[in-house]
């Protein structure tokens, strides 16, 4: 399990190879990649700026992975989140899970992506042509992927 803050998201081929090596039982790897979009709420985005609690954020991310392992039976996983400035089209988050079967990988992945957004001490500032502002996670996303997928 790997949970960390990064200046740049790791090479995805290397990540997949690392996950595959963790067990011969792995039959599925699912990956979510967050990308900076160029238009948000009708405004042209210039960049995003991420700040995080440097000590606590990786601990929270690691705990989320352990919870997903206990709840969904994933074999291995990784969460990386960029800190600093990110331009349009840049990768800013990677969540990957490896499991025996696709069903538990899909369930764990959705839950983890939402949990990172709502539980990790990572903050996003959106810089647009009209100004800059801190972005909060949408309340309707807070429970997605959890209630319908618990065993």
């Amino acid at each position: 399990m790997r949970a960390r803050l990064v200046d740049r998201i790791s090479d995805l081929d290397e990540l997949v190879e690392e996950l595959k090596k963790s067990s011969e039982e792995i039959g599925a790897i699912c990956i979510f990649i967050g990308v900076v979009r160029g238009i948000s709420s009708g405004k042209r985005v210039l960049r995003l700026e991420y700040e995080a609690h440097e000590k606590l954020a990786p601990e929270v991310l690691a705990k989320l992975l352990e919870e997903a392992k206990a709840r969904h039976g994933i074999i291995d996983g990784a969460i990386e989140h960029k800190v600093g400035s990110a331009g349009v089209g840049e990768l800013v988050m990677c969540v990957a899970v490896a499991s025996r079967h696709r069903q538990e990988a899909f369930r764990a992945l959705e839950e983890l992506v939402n949990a990172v957004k709502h539980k990790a001490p990572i903050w996003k500032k959106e810089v647009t042509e009209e100004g800059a502002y801190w972005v909060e996670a949408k309340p309707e996303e807070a429970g997605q992927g959890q209630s319908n997928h618990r065993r």
Side-chain angles (χ1 to χ4, degrees):
M1 302 279 193
R2 174 169 88 183
R4 62 187 183 177
L5 300 174
V6 296
D7 294 327
R8 185 172 178 267
I9 299 298
S10 296
D11 179 80
L12 297 179
D13 289 335
E14 291 174 14
L15 175 61
V16 168
E17 289 304 313
E18 180 182 322
L19 291 172
K20 286 184 345 188
K21 289 177 185 174
S22 64
S23 173
E24 290 185 0
E25 292 185 81
I26 290 173
I29 296 174
C30 290
I31 301 173
F32 169 84
I33 301 296
V35 180
V36 178
R37 68 177 141 254
I39 303 288
S40 179
S41 300
K43 300 174 186 169
R44 182 158 307 281
V45 175
L46 302 176
R47 69 183 177 280
L48 298 179
E49 296 175 1
Y50 287 96
E51 294 182 13
H53 190 291
E54 297 286 334
K55 183 179 184 310
L56 189 57
E59 294 172 5
V60 170
L61 298 177
K63 182 179 178 192
L64 294 174
L65 282 168
E66 289 302 324
E67 289 171 356
K69 183 176 184 177
R71 192 166 17 260
H72 299 287
I74 62 172
I75 295 169
D76 201 357
I79 301 174
E80 291 186 352
H81 202 296
K82 180 175 175 55
V83 290
S85 184
V88 172
E90 191 170 341
L91 307 184
V92 292
M93 181 169 71
C94 175
V95 179
V97 295
S99 62
R100 288 169 191 80
H101 305 284
R102 68 184 177 275
Q103 293 87 354
E104 61 262 29
F106 287 139
R107 291 177 186 133
L109 184 65
E110 181 180 18
E111 187 174 293
L112 279 167
V113 169
N114 288 326
V116 168
K117 195 168 189 175
H118 295 278
K119 295 181 179 179
I122 301 170
W123 304 280
K124 174 172 73 172
K125 183 190 290 184
E126 195 169 82
V127 181
T128 71
E129 290 178 333
E130 298 176 19
Y133 54 94
W134 291 100
V135 178
E136 291 187 38
K138 295 181 176 93
E140 66 270 14
E141 294 174 343
Q144 284 183 357
Q146 293 177 8
S147 60
N148 294 334
H149 299 300
R150 282 201 175 130
R151 291 185 182 180

